[in-house]
Amino acid sequence: MANQEDVFKKLVSHCKEYGFVFPSSEIYDGLGAVYDYGQNGVELKNNIKRYWWEAMTKLHENIVGIDAAIFMHPTVWKASGHVDAFNDPLIDNRDSKKRYRADVLIEEQLAKIEDKINKEIEKARKRFGEAFDEAQFRATNGRVLEHQAKWDALHQRYSDAMNKMDLEELKQIILDEEIVCPISGTRNWTDVRQFNLMFSTEMGSTADGAMKIYLRPETAQGIFVNYLNVQKSGRMKLPFGIAQIGKAFRNEIVARQFIFRMREFEQMEMQFFIKPGTELDWFAKWKKTRLAWHKALGFGDAMYRYHDHEKLAHYANAATDIEFNMPFGFKEVEGIHSRTNFDLSQHAKYSGKKIEYFDPETRESYVPYVIETSIGVDRMFLSIMAGAFKEEEVNGERRVVLALPPALAPVKVAILPLVNKDGLPEKAEEILRELRYDYTCQIEVKDSIGKRYRRQDAIGTPYCVTVDGQTLEDNTVTLRFRDTMEQERVAIADLHKIIGDSVNISSLLRKIEND
Ligand code: ATP
């Protein structure tokens, strides 16, 4: 585990050192859980968004996009349930003055009990070797059974309290379990309070005319309130989808783990409108389609898993997460939810407008059901950086390489004049002018060629083109491949053909389709 933590730390400093992610307002010591993307980060992020957008809109004839405003009428958030229920239960420790999520404290306690069970199992596995039967051990070992009973009882009590949002009971659990603040080590807790995660601001200039509005906590509602507009203006027939990429804001109580949990982040959401009764089939289909999108990146199938939800929101009838094996364990990157007709019905109720679909086949009107796929750009970014980050030994030297899918790499081709004189920089410029319409290129002239290769490896550039004296004579260059570090002498005229489509989003899209 320490090793994994180490990897994560290295990853975070790599992101900063190579211009991927900086803490926001860093010269003022930063702002909690807010980050800026740097010169390489923005390219990678844009490529991720393009990969998602094109997979949605180009590969599905019946999915179109929108770009709704961040500010929305405040009643939207009343109708969606966010004003009343988008809350986390928080608790403060009076001694350390630190704030925690009550649910997270209890979940950590559950995880501790699970750890104890796992330790017993690992001990027994070592003792029994090949003959070890885990299921039998779990069912018969006294200590495991004792821990399991404790876990079951706590889990039951916790689920009941969360379902009823019984804040007193949540506090009582924390007291009964003797959970201490990790900073002060004391049990001097305040009461548990509800904390709404929405940021608010005011619109309008006069004091009495000002209206309290929210920064949207999800992009989905912009899609729901535009359902009729898109359906009518686009003459869309069910089933069809609306996709959107945009910023969302949540005043997270405990924001940690770098860009995994931010207060300002970006979502890519798609709401797929369908006929009631067909939702479980569509849910299964979207689960599969979305996982294939992730797997086409090539980080290995074992890096992903589904996590089906047992506890569903009251309006959902199926939900699953796609989790990625981050340096801090498997974590949610994307959620896929079957949301019934909850959102559209709520907006119909609150707006007084009829939000229905007239089915030309059955000649009946109904409120469509919705399957939602919802993914965080920043979490996806983190999973890609984590999957791509590699440290290798090359001839006794350490090489850090970002094995990014070439189509996502910030720079596709680095053009490197061997020396910064003798007409080589000019030749490099000439090659750049040739390639830049198709590929994001960069010319680098400083430092030894070895150092420049390392720097390009560290930002994930799949191809380096080295220009030397011979180039001036015969128009050939050395083409170096990031992953194998192999070098080949090739004609400038052939570069296009060799690089081809391998660095374009279309090559990734084809991979999803062909799988
Ligand atoms: P979590 O349980 O981790 O808070 P969630 O279940 O509330 O996430 P959803 O509301 O389903 O998340 O949001 C969909 C996606 O948006 C998530 O899968 C995640 O990728 C992203 N996301 C949500 N909250 C954040 C955040 N604070 N920072 C970055 N990404 C986020």
Side-chain angles (χ1 to χ4, degrees), residues 117-144:
I117 297 175
N118 289 337
K119 279 208 182 101
E120 293 290 342
I121 290 172
E122 281 324 301
K123 261 198 325 213
R125 192 190 305 282
K126 280 204 189 110
R127 203 158 8 109
F128 293 113
E130 288 279 295
F132 182 62
D133 179 345
E134 185 180 324
Q136 195 197 352
F137 184 76
R138 275 181 184 273
T140 52
N141 178 274
R143 262 195 303 269
V144 170

Side-chain angles (χ1 to χ4, degrees), residues 250 252 260-262 265 267 332-335 337 374-376 379:
R250 295 182 189 179
E252 301 278 0
F260 183 79
R261 191 174 298 287
M262 301 157 93
F265 58 103
Q267 288 187 315
E332 168 182 347
V333 174
E334 171 157 10
H337 312 118
S374 172
I375 169 171
R379 277 195 199 174

